[in-house]
Amino acid sequence: MGIAPSPDQARLTFRDATEDDVPVLVGLIESAYRGDASRAGWTTEADILGGRRTDAEGVRQVVTAPAGRLLVAERDGAPVACCQLEHRGEAAYFGMFAVAPALQGAGLGKLIIAEAERTVRETWCVKEMHMTVISVREELIAWYERRGYRRTGETTPFPYGDERFGIPQRDDLVFELLVKEL
């Protein structure tokens, strides 16, 4: 006798995104990170970055990448979250993670990251999951640490001047690599 799934788990389904999903997923990702709508959730970047988080071409590139996929989580047939998974040798990269702001804080993120980890282990037999997070996002990094990710101290510069990544509101932004052994 196993543990019964929670109502959230029972109602959540996963699938790979298609090009037809691009417009809806752009809206989902934007709502989770930018503008006033993002303030309904806790993952907003509105105080550190203005402009867009992504666009249709950026999402389409992830959807059609030969070494990756964009995993979509749906509830009652509607996308409520997504994440990028990319095969990079012995590791997988986790990115473009978005949960609808009104559903943040309800435990969906934990379910989605667990499904992402299961998927890359089974599909690509990778040993690690990698991600990059803006280093000043301490609350978000702490959330990932509670999921088993560790800070590496390895950073890459934020692409100042490239508005595809947003318009920085401060001058101390860098990406930090987080890693979890699977």
Side-chain angles (χ1 to χ4, degrees):
M1 185 162 120
I3 297 172
S6 73
D8 283 335
Q9 289 170 311
R11 294 174 47 204
L12 207 58
T13 58
F14 296 92
R15 66 175 176 81
D16 286 343
T18 67
E19 288 192 65
D20 291 341
D21 295 313
V22 168
V24 170
L25 295 176
V26 169
L28 172 67
I29 294 162
E30 287 295 310
S31 74
Y33 289 96
R34 298 291 200 286
D36 288 336
S38 71
R39 295 182 193 283
W42 68 273
T43 62
T44 184
E45 294 174 342
D47 293 330
I48 60 171
L49 291 164
R52 298 190 60 89
R53 171 67 162 78
T54 192
D55 59 19
E57 185 53 33
V59 174
R60 188 173 290 104
Q61 286 176 358
V62 173
V63 169
T64 61
R69 60 205 300 181
L70 189 61
L71 187 65
V72 178
E74 293 181 321
R75 180 184 278 168
D76 301 326
V80 295
C82 66
C83 64
Q84 171 190 12
L85 302 173
E86 185 178 310
H87 190 197
R88 295 182 178 177
E90 300 266 324
Y93 178 78
F94 178 86
M96 208 173 272
F97 185 30
V99 175
L103 300 175
Q104 291 177 18
L108 290 180
K110 294 176 201 173
L111 298 174
I112 294 155
I113 201 166
E115 177 66 13
E117 291 166 357
R118 184 199 65 76
T119 297
V120 300
R121 273 193 314 269
E122 291 182 8
T123 305
W124 298 320
C125 300
V126 295
K127 298 177 181 183
E128 292 182 331
M129 184 80 92
H130 293 187
M131 69 175 71
T132 54
V133 179
I134 297 172
S135 65
V136 298
R137 303 283 320 275
E138 294 293 339
E139 185 178 7
L140 183 59
I141 291 171
W143 187 87
Y144 285 121
E145 287 178 317
R146 290 191 298 275
R147 314 273 94 63
Y149 288 81
R150 65 177 172 77
R151 297 180 89 155
T152 64
E154 184 180 323
T155 62
T156 53
F158 186 87
Y160 285 91
D162 186 344
E163 290 189 8
R164 291 178 303 155
F165 294 90
I167 302 168
Q169 306 299 306
R170 47 193 293 177
D171 62 4
D172 62 344
L173 303 180
V174 295
F175 292 109
E176 182 172 353
L177 177 66
L178 305 183
V179 174
K180 179 178 181 178
E181 294 196 21
L182 301 176

